[in-house]
Amino acid sequence: MSELLYEGKAKKMFSTDDPNVLRVEYKNDATAFNGKKKAVFQGKGRLNNAICTKIFHVLQENNLPTHFIDKISETEQLVKAVSIVPIEVVIRNVVAGSLAKRFGLDEGVSLGRTIIEFYYKSDELGDPMINDDHALALKIATEEDLAEIRRQALKVNDVLQSLFSEAGILLVDFKLEFGKLKSNGALVLADEISPDSCRLWDKETHEKLDKDVFRRNIADLPETYEKLLSRLEAVK
């Protein structure tokens, strides 16, 4: 019997007959500004599922441990059950979004180095930014966890920069979440990597190929995601 375990802004999680395996269903909902802006787009769940599947396959081919098992329908995946580490990991390669606002920098400027930021996962608190000392004091991660999260995040960044570059796309910034497998406690990449959680720009024109088209009313979201998927599928 499949039981709904969790429903978030973009997907639902269901149990399966195996306690170490969950079924993910991608929704057609889009949200922005912490849920203040909402809309439903036909086909969005299908597109995010396909894009995320492509990305996880590439990461696994590069020996990065993830919770992904298989895509089982247009909108569904099977994943390994994890206990999520309550830290959102943001990787930044180019100035954009909140980084531009915080430091008065122009969007589109290369940072010259990769920046990793940690945010405490708490809707009630608005996901405040934290550092390693906060994480240790809050007892939400160990020093070993934090070191491994940084190591894996930087490797994910290297692999994805290469993938998107081949598709003519600049990986500006993106969000990751990690979890510990319920089967053996190993730390793995979890959640999703999709245009909902990444900033992706055309390398030449800086045309936006992510959820910013919805946030800023720039273009049609499904058409944008379809364009992104086509470019990724063309990369062998």
Side-chain angles (χ1 to χ4, degrees):
M1 179 68 71
S2 184
E3 177 188 354
L4 177 64
L5 302 175
Y6 166 82
E7 180 169 359
K9 297 171 185 174
K11 54 190 178 294
K12 299 177 182 179
M13 304 283 287
F14 296 88
S15 64
T16 69
D17 293 337
D18 185 338
N20 292 317
V21 176
L22 302 179
R23 176 170 59 87
V24 179
E25 179 185 332
Y26 283 84
K27 298 162 57 176
N28 289 328
D29 300 43
T31 64
F33 310 117
N34 289 324
K36 293 176 183 176
K37 183 176 183 179
K38 300 178 183 179
V40 177
F41 295 98
Q42 194 62 37
K44 177 179 177 286
R46 171 185 64 82
L47 290 163
N48 267 7
N49 189 31
I51 292 166
C52 192
T53 295
K54 168 72 176 182
I55 289 172
F56 273 120
H57 278 155
V58 171
L59 292 174
Q60 290 178 338
E61 287 166 4
N62 283 272
N63 300 313
L64 274 154
T66 82
H67 73 158
F68 179 80
I69 298 174
D70 196 15
K71 176 184 171 186
I72 57 171
S73 77
E74 282 199 336
T75 59
E76 296 170 300
Q77 297 174 359
L78 290 179
V79 300
K80 298 169 187 174
V82 301
S83 297
I84 289 289
V85 178
I87 297 174
E88 288 188 353
V89 183
V90 175
I91 297 92
R92 299 184 184 275
N93 299 306
V94 177
V95 175
S98 64
L99 189 70
K101 294 176 183 176
R102 271 185 277 146
F103 295 104
L105 301 172
D106 293 331
E107 280 206 338
V109 174
S110 175
L111 288 164
R113 61 172 293 154
T114 299
I115 292 176
I116 295 180
E117 298 173 346
F118 289 163
Y119 294 83
Y120 181 38
K121 279 178 60 66
S122 170
D123 289 339
E124 292 177 0
L125 300 175
D127 299 333
M129 183 186 287
I130 61 173
N131 60 27
D132 291 34
D133 290 332
H134 292 122
L136 294 171
L138 291 168
K139 298 181 179 179
I140 56 176
T142 66
E143 289 186 6
E144 292 76 15
D145 292 336
L146 296 172
E148 182 63 11
I149 285 171
R150 287 183 184 278
R151 188 192 71 79
Q152 289 192 31
L154 288 171
K155 187 173 180 183
V156 169
N157 187 47
D158 288 343
V159 171
L160 293 191
Q161 279 188 308
S162 178
L163 169 65
F164 285 117
S165 182
E166 286 188 57
I169 297 168
L170 183 66
L171 178 58
V172 175
D173 58 41
F174 61 107
K175 176 180 73 72
L176 298 177
E177 292 188 22
F178 292 85
K180 294 186 176 181
L181 292 177
K182 293 194 174 177
S183 59
N184 62 14
L187 186 77
V188 301
L189 183 64
D191 196 44
E192 67 178 271
I193 304 178
S194 74
D196 279 7
S197 59
C198 302
R199 276 196 177 88
L200 304 164
W201 298 350
D202 181 272
K203 284 171 71 174
E204 301 300 325
T205 66
H206 283 192
E207 174 191 4
K208 291 174 173 56
L209 299 169
D210 56 65
K211 197 168 72 171
D212 269 350
V213 300
F214 169 65
R215 288 188 187 97
R216 304 184 184 186
N217 298 314
I218 295 170
D220 181 76
L221 184 141
E223 287 182 9
T224 299
Y225 284 22
E226 196 77 67
K227 185 185 298 182
L228 173 63
L229 177 60
S230 296
R231 290 172 71 161
L232 287 176
E233 286 180 334
V235 177
K236 302 303 181 185

